[in-house]
Amino acid sequence: MKTYTLIIGILFFLSGAALSQNITLANNVEVTNGGTQYGVSIGWSDKLNIEYGMFHSMSPKDSQNNGEVTQYHQGSTTEQSFSGVYLDYPIRIGQYFDMGLLVRTGLVNGQDFKITPALMGSLHLGKSLNLNVGVGFRGLSPTLNTGLKISF
């Protein structure tokens, strides 16, 4: 099942990228009450500035806990990775600053399905470089998202 999902995701990504307007690469840091996750994403935006793509984020190793990952959401489960697809829908497009709704959905640790909405702001640092900052929800707890995005 994982193989079929991966193949469909890759074909969807390649078909969209072939017809896209811009390809984007981004890194992100997400801070929650359960810890911090670092990740990367690759996507494309269409002519309406709607961005689609895939992402992967992981918890850092905690050296004080003998290499185990940090606990997430009141210690109930250990969230090691979060991978899936995302949609970034623009709410306001400006010359120096954009606002958008980011919805990420995917699998936590390869088994639990999760949807994470966020309201993101994007400050244009150059023609193809943006600084992203936003707030959202993950597991019914608030999150703070930051990152850099490069458009090609």
Side-chain angles (χ1 to χ4, degrees):
M1 184 66 179
K2 286 183 184 180
T3 306
Y4 294 121
T5 305
L6 181 62
I7 290 171
I8 291 170
I10 290 172
L11 290 175
F12 176 74
F13 179 75
L14 290 177
S15 67
L19 303 172
S20 70
Q21 182 176 353
N22 290 323
I23 294 177
T24 60
L25 295 173
N27 69 340
N28 68 316
V29 177
E30 186 172 25
V31 180
T32 67
N33 64 354
T36 303
Q37 283 201 335
Y38 306 96
V40 295
S41 63
I42 183 167
W44 67 91
S45 61
D46 61 13
K47 294 176 184 174
L48 299 174
N49 289 327
I50 300 173
E51 186 176 330
Y52 313 88
M54 299 185 302
F55 71 93
H56 178 73
S57 59
M58 294 187 70
S59 295
K61 300 289 183 183
D62 189 355
S63 61
Q64 296 177 352
N65 292 335
N66 298 325
E68 296 178 9
V69 297
T70 56
Q71 294 293 314
Y72 178 72
H73 193 58
Q74 302 171 354
S76 61
T77 60
T78 301
E79 185 170 320
Q80 297 176 354
S81 67
F82 181 34
S83 301
V85 296
Y86 72 90
L87 170 72
D88 191 356
Y89 186 81
I91 297 173
R92 179 195 177 278
I93 299 174
Q95 185 175 0
Y96 302 108
F97 186 76
D98 298 339
M99 288 293 292
L101 177 63
L102 175 68
V103 178
R104 296 187 302 161
T105 182
L107 296 177
V108 175
N109 296 338
Q111 57 188 6
D112 299 327
F113 182 75
K114 190 172 280 190
I115 299 173
T116 61
L119 183 63
M120 299 292 290
S122 180
L123 178 65
H124 303 283
L125 301 177
K127 185 177 180 179
S128 61
L129 182 64
N130 296 335
L131 174 65
N132 297 330
V133 177
V135 293
F137 287 99
R138 185 170 183 170
L140 299 177
S141 62
T143 65
L144 174 64
N145 301 316
T146 60
L148 289 174
K149 183 178 1 179
I150 300 172
S151 299
F152 298 102

